[in-house]
Amino acid sequence: MFDVLTIAALVDELRKTLLRGRVQKVVQTAPLAIALEFYAGQRWGLVIDVNPQEPCSYLAHTVPAGDPEQVTPFLLLLRKYVRGARLVQVEQVPLERIIRLRFATVLVEEQRGRIERLPVETELVIELMGRHSNAILVATDGRILDALKRVTPEMSAARPVLPGRPYQPPPPQLKRDPRRLSTDAVDSLLLEGRPDQELTTALVQQLAGFSPQMAREAVYRAFGTTAVTVSEARDAPSGPERLATAIASVIEPLVTGQFAPTVYWSNGVPVAFSAIPLHYAQGLQAEAFPSISMAIERFLAERPQGEEIAGDRYAQRRRRVLAAIERERARVEARLHALEQERARAAEAERWRRMGEAILAALGELVPGQRELVVDDLRIPLDPDRTPVENAQAYFERYRKAKAAAEQVPVLIEETRLELEYLRQLEALAQVADTTETLETLRQEIGLTEGNRNTGERTKRGSQRKLRVWRTLRGDRIVVGRNARENDWITFSLARPEDAWLHARGLAGAHVIVQWAGAEDPDVLERAAALAAWYSEGRTGTRVSVDVTQRRHVRRIPGAAPGLVRYRNERTLAVRPRPPEDLGLLEG
């Protein structure tokens, strides 16, 4: 929900409300949360929370109380550079969930026995990017002064965030710019996509800054439903043109600044908020607000608190498991980044071979100390301290190393991506875990990314555990996996070839199997699909696509961690996620 549209609406609100305002107070409300009190005609509180499970920022009429035990170096720096400062600039990084606040102040310091007044500007960079969220204070020379969440090289080799290091923005998204998307470009996007892929997934993967919520809205505006595949969009009458128009309408507020903040309710519970109207949520009650901050504050205040209550041990255990998964994912992402850089270097192999051959072909033309050779489209740097033959041999050596890497790197990249997919599965399962035992098992499974993937041991442990099972009145048995090993076990050890197998399409979550007591029953299948959606990343959505196939068509991915599979001959059901107690099922 904190997508680029929400950020744009918030930035627009901050400009209109806080620009030229002065910061009167800075408090830290939690280990990963701060609040700034502004005076700009009246008192305002800017809340900034970078908790990886639910990062947020909004403007409140009152400042939350600070926690006196939360006195960190970052807080002290904010009090030095930001308290008393004026807000002189508010910007959103284009198509990113990043807000940049520039502050100007005057520091009074003693210099060589004299009191000096030094004008100083700093920038507070608020990155609301899921598990990578952070708030970073940056000096005018680009150095990081400190961050709410320090990131060491061990946590992220690609982008450490530590005092004294230069601030590096997140790597640019190598995706299409949705603001400049013609019908031809949409047609190209559809041609490049996998035909059976959900169109919403393809848009998130292909368009910069496009969130799942924005993608669902664009698809619904184009086709009247969110359950559309790439091939269906491509084959629909004027499909690419309709989709291009819908995408343009979704992102139009980025240009016009015309937002319509809304909170959506289901049975008296807020389930989503948005900076634009969501046509696909037409079955929900909509409540409009004059500002995005009011919508966010209302959503956060009215949602079920449950495990967020301070001191809830179960919630604390869940957070520890999620934090461990996040650390492991950062390590694997750093390895993937290094491998992709290696692959990029390997792509230069043929060019280096051509350079070496061009040098040998031009031996008679080269003179001692020459620094460059230009042949056709090649501009070849030369080492003046080497002979022409030595320069050629150096390029041939680079070519041989790159070719060797090209043979190994793609396999390693695929293995690393499978590890990331496995960690994504663990994260989703931790989010929907409903017992302490499940969380403990997930915590133990994090060690599997180090290569401990013995299927026999998984099967033995899985068969000894009490399963999560529901039954229908007819006697059909529905089994839902609680962790990756149990997903693997119920699919490949418990399920029979003819049993139905279900999984939320394109989302991490539980495997679900249905063991029939008679002929296949569409109503039971619908309820099993609602369970698969409930125990997945799509739990908070209004409609989730769930794939159904027979167990005989499901296969493990060779060498992958447990629970990662490929399947075929599936059909897809679009269902509303529902908990088991709403489905008329019997436990056990």
Side-chain angles (χ1 to χ4, degrees), residues 422-438:
Y422 173 62
L423 290 167
R424 181 181 164 218
Q425 293 281 344
L426 291 185
E427 182 178 37
L429 292 165
Q431 294 282 12
V432 300
D434 49 15
T435 67
T436 301
E437 178 193 6
T438 301

Side-chain angles (χ1 to χ4, degrees), residues 18-161:
L18 298 184
L19 205 58
R20 304 306 303 175
R22 187 182 296 279
V23 179
Q24 294 184 316
K25 185 191 297 184
V26 182
V27 297
Q28 189 149 356
T29 58
L32 295 177
I34 57 170
L36 310 180
E37 181 184 275
F38 284 83
Y39 185 80
Q42 68 177 80
R43 292 174 63 214
W44 296 93
L46 179 60
V47 177
I48 303 165
D49 190 337
V50 300
N51 185 308
Q53 275 71 61
E54 196 171 43
C56 68
S57 184
Y58 60 92
L59 198 57
H61 283 87
T62 57
V63 180
D67 183 348
E69 295 185 5
Q70 301 288 339
V71 179
T72 63
F74 182 67
L75 175 65
L76 296 177
L77 277 173
L78 285 179
R79 288 176 174 171
K80 176 180 178 180
Y81 289 102
V82 174
R83 186 172 59 184
R86 287 197 181 275
L87 180 64
V88 296
Q89 190 175 55
V90 183
E91 289 185 339
Q92 176 186 15
V93 177
L95 298 179
E96 294 283 2
R97 292 169 291 170
I98 301 174
I99 303 170
R100 303 181 76 123
L101 306 177
R102 183 170 287 273
F103 296 93
T105 190
V106 175
L107 296 183
V108 179
E109 294 185 355
E110 184 176 346
Q111 300 275 353
R112 298 177 183 176
R114 297 175 56 191
I115 300 299
E116 298 282 351
R117 298 175 60 84
L118 306 174
V120 173
E121 288 194 353
T122 53
E123 194 168 66
L124 183 61
V125 184
I126 307 167
E127 302 176 347
L128 299 176
M129 306 184 303
R131 65 185 184 278
H132 300 300
S133 298
N134 210 340
I136 306 167
L137 187 63
V138 182
T140 51
D141 61 1
R143 287 182 305 106
I144 295 173
L145 295 172
D146 208 343
L148 195 50
K149 184 168 61 177
R150 293 183 180 183
V151 181
T152 66
E154 290 74 27
M155 296 165 65
S156 174
R159 190 173 176 252
V161 179

